Amino acid sequence: MDRRQLLRAVAGAAAGFSPLLALADDDRKTRRKSGSSTPQALPAPTSPKARVIVLGGGMGGTTLAKYLRMWGDAVDVTLVDRNPSYTSCIMSSLVLTGQRSMSSLAFGYDNLRTRYGVRTVFGEVVAIDPVACRVTLQGGTVLQGDRLVLAPGIAFDEVPGLTQPDAMPHAWKAGPQTSLLARQLAAMPTNGVAVLTIPAVPYRCPPGPYERACLIADWLRLRKPQARLIVLDANPDFVTEKDNFSRAFFDLHGRVIEYRTNVIIDSVDPTSRTLFTNGGAVRGDVVNLIPRQRAPQLLADAGLLNATGGRFAAVDVLSYASTAAPSTHVIGDASATTQPKAGHIANQEAKVCADALARLFAGGSPDPAPVTNSACYSTITMSKASWLHALYQYDAASASMKPVAAGSGASVGWNGDHFEDMGTWFTALMADTFA
Ligand SMILES: Cc1cc2nc3c(=O)[nH]c(=O)nc-3n(C[C@H](O)[C@H](O)[C@H](O)COP(=O)(O)OP(=O)(O)OC[C@H]3O[C@@H](n4cnc5c(N)ncnc54)[C@H](O)[C@@H]3O)c2cc1C
């Protein structure tokens, strides 16, 4: 089975409406391809045919590095991240309800080095030259490649008045703010008011804020029955999975959640935890303020943010080459495509990009008809989940990834089996990325 068949088979499995099958199938086929039940060790090449520098060891960058080493013949791959361990955002809202520990979300890079021969460098990248394919680290080290792949995730817009970010944590990059928000919720008065804000699209993980709201509401119902949760949505309506989330917000959690739409936050006062909005002032005992998002400034400085009003990087989705600097590729949340900003999609984009680079280094061209898929589970309560699945296929007329209706859909309602499947899906996705 070649790479193209593999990518199609993964999407095909997903088209059967079982989000769980997609990655399990992917893992099996990759192993079958290598002819082994366990991955074979791939040492870094001694005479590389090409060098690739990857910025960002998250969902996109790590998958890209691993698969490019497996699929590219003698390609030298160096992965750069500011941290020696990655903390998964996926499943991180369960830390808020005490159902997951932060350590259960940590993933290291040992497998990448020892099994796949990826070189790792830990440090802060402070400059990118997307034409010369160079990145500069804090301290002056310069890494030079034949191609760059950028997967740095997102940055947040500044919120006027938010001088103490910890007073209103976003917890939208899993890390210290996730633990902080959990502590703030635990310390909230039993009859307190929590506020959660949802930014205007496009933002990281479209269902994420709604599922977090449902989780917090269920937790409040059990732990602080007099408490309320005000959800301030900058969008005019639920941006995804409307059937399930509207039933959850208005029926199941209707006593806890108050949902307001089209809310623009003009400024905040962190001391009194007040948000000044187009609909008046809103005060909370705990405020989970998720600001509007864009790709990191580093990419703006390099002239790569040429889409979505200068927020994200336009790419050719056959190879994820930047339309501003074609020897630099941008994958994951930092790129502007028709696909959602999600970890599963970052993993899929990484595979399409790795396949395209392997073909280009072999003197060929990218696959002209890539397919991708994304599965997403949403926690509706602390023990029940719904799911959403989308399949995308390249559309030459619009040069974009188009959703395929026959391969997309959502669960009707939620249940405990889907919640269990969510754990299995997460384990498979993280193994496909980091193991
Ligand atoms: C609460 C929450 C729940 C979510 N749930 C789901 C889900 O159920 N399913 C799903 O598919 N997605 C989910 N997501 C979305 C998912 O986490 C992101 O879409 C995904 O992580 C994007 O991958 P990425 O590679 O683009 O960025 P990231 O995974 O964020 O990786 C970026 C990496 O780049 C590094 N980096 C950035 N800048 C620099 C620099 N200058 N120097 C060095 N290193 C740098 C960072 O340290 C980081 O390791 C969720 C997100 C949140 C917040």
Side-chain angles (χ1 to χ4, degrees):
M1 175 173 288
D2 67 15
R3 287 190 300 274
R4 183 170 168 174
Q5 287 171 313
L6 165 64
L7 291 167
R8 285 179 185 289
V10 172
F17 280 92
S18 174
L20 203 49
L21 272 180
L23 280 158
D25 218 46
D26 200 358
D27 186 47
R28 244 189 348 259
K29 292 195 173 74
T30 301
R31 283 161 194 239
R32 195 181 308 150
K33 183 169 174 279
S34 73
S36 154
S37 59
T38 51
Q40 291 164 347
L42 282 167
T46 42
S47 312
K49 118 179 357 168
R51 291 178 198 276
V52 174
I53 311 294
V54 185
L55 161 58
M59 299 305 296
T62 306
T63 310
L64 179 284
K66 169 178 161 176
Y67 277 84
L68 186 53
R69 286 289 302 124
M70 287 200 292
W71 292 344
D73 182 23
V75 179
D76 188 286
V77 180
T78 301
L79 178 84
V80 192
D81 202 288
R82 56 166 69 102
N83 298 315
S85 164
Y86 177 71
T87 305
S88 167
C89 291
I90 306 176
M91 307 294 256
S92 66
S93 290
L94 289 163
V95 173
L96 306 179
T97 52
Q99 292 172 275
R100 277 239 170 209
S101 64
M102 288 303 289
S103 60
S104 76
L105 302 175
F107 296 85
Y109 300 103
D110 284 352
N111 289 329
L112 224 53
R113 276 189 296 269
T114 57
R115 290 186 179 166
Y116 305 103
V118 174
R119 302 177 200 278
T120 52
V121 173
F122 299 114
E124 182 75 22
V125 172
V126 293
I128 300 165
D129 182 333
V131 176
C133 295
R134 262 197 303 265
V135 301
T136 305
L137 279 79
Q138 210 161 38
T141 304
V142 174
L143 301 173
Q144 169 82 56
D146 300 303
R147 296 261 173 175
L148 287 185
V149 180
L150 308 179
I154 50 151
F156 299 101
D157 278 7
E158 278 189 19
V159 180
L162 189 56
T163 47
Q164 308 153 38
D166 283 358
M168 297 181 170
H170 53 72
W172 214 243
K173 282 186 185 180
Q177 282 208 348
T178 314
S179 311
L180 174 69
L181 183 59
R183 289 197 300 277
Q184 291 179 349
L185 284 167
M188 189 173 91
T190 47
N191 62 350
V193 175
V195 180
L196 183 154
T197 73
I198 303 177
V201 291
Y203 61 82
R204 160 174 282 185
C205 194
Y210 303 100
E211 74 158 346
R212 178 178 285 182
C214 288
L215 256 188
I216 293 176
D218 200 38
W219 180 83
L220 290 175
R221 180 180 62 80
L222 291 169
R223 301 292 169 86
K224 300 176 195 273
Q226 310 306 320
R228 284 189 309 128
L229 173 65
I230 300 175
V231 179
L232 304 178
D233 195 338
N235 303 288
D237 203 350
F238 297 95
V239 303
T240 185
E241 237 188 294
K242 183 173 175 178
D243 286 355
N244 285 332
F245 285 130
S246 56
R247 274 182 56 212
F249 271 42
F250 301 131
D251 298 340
L252 184 68
H253 301 304
R255 204 198 52 73
V256 182
I257 294 180
E258 179 186 329
Y259 181 50
R260 302 184 197 168
T261 55
N262 291 311
V263 179
I264 307 300
I265 295 159
D266 297 322
S267 65
V268 301
D269 174 13
T271 311
S272 62
R273 286 186 301 277
T274 304
L275 304 155
F276 300 102
T277 79
N278 54 342
V282 182
R283 205 198 79 78
D285 297 295
V286 172
V287 179
N288 179 193
L289 172 54
I290 306 171
R292 206 167 168 205
Q293 293 157 33
R294 56 193 159 77
Q297 185 60 32
L298 203 56
L299 277 68
D301 296 344
L304 296 171
L305 301 190
N306 52 353
T308 338
R311 287 182 175 271
F312 294 99
V315 291
D316 170 358
V317 287
L318 292 182
S319 66
Y320 290 86
S322 155
T323 58
S327 46
T328 287
H329 303 245
V330 186
I331 58 173
D333 289 357
S335 65
T337 77
T338 50
Q339 301 154 113
K341 298 190 185 302
H344 195 142
I345 278 291
N347 169 285
Q348 297 279 291
E349 292 179 354
K351 288 174 187 166
V352 173
C353 180
D355 180 53
L357 285 172
R359 287 166 186 256
L360 289 166
F361 292 142
S365 315
D367 177 354
V371 286
T372 58
N373 75 89
S374 174
C376 189
Y377 290 86
S378 296
T379 47
I380 301 295
T381 72
M382 288 169 66
S383 58
K384 293 182 180 170
S386 62
W387 59 258
L388 179 71
H389 177 259
L391 177 70
Y392 297 87
Q393 191 156 33
Y394 184 69
D395 172 57
S398 60
S400 69
M401 298 301 288
K402 271 212 162 158
V404 180
S408 307
S411 64
V412 179
W414 48 85
N415 63 40
D417 286 347
H418 300 335
F419 192 93
E420 266 184 38
D421 287 351
M422 176 175 72
T424 310
W425 164 83
F426 176 65
T427 304
L429 176 64
M430 298 321 273
D432 188 53
T433 305
F434 286 91

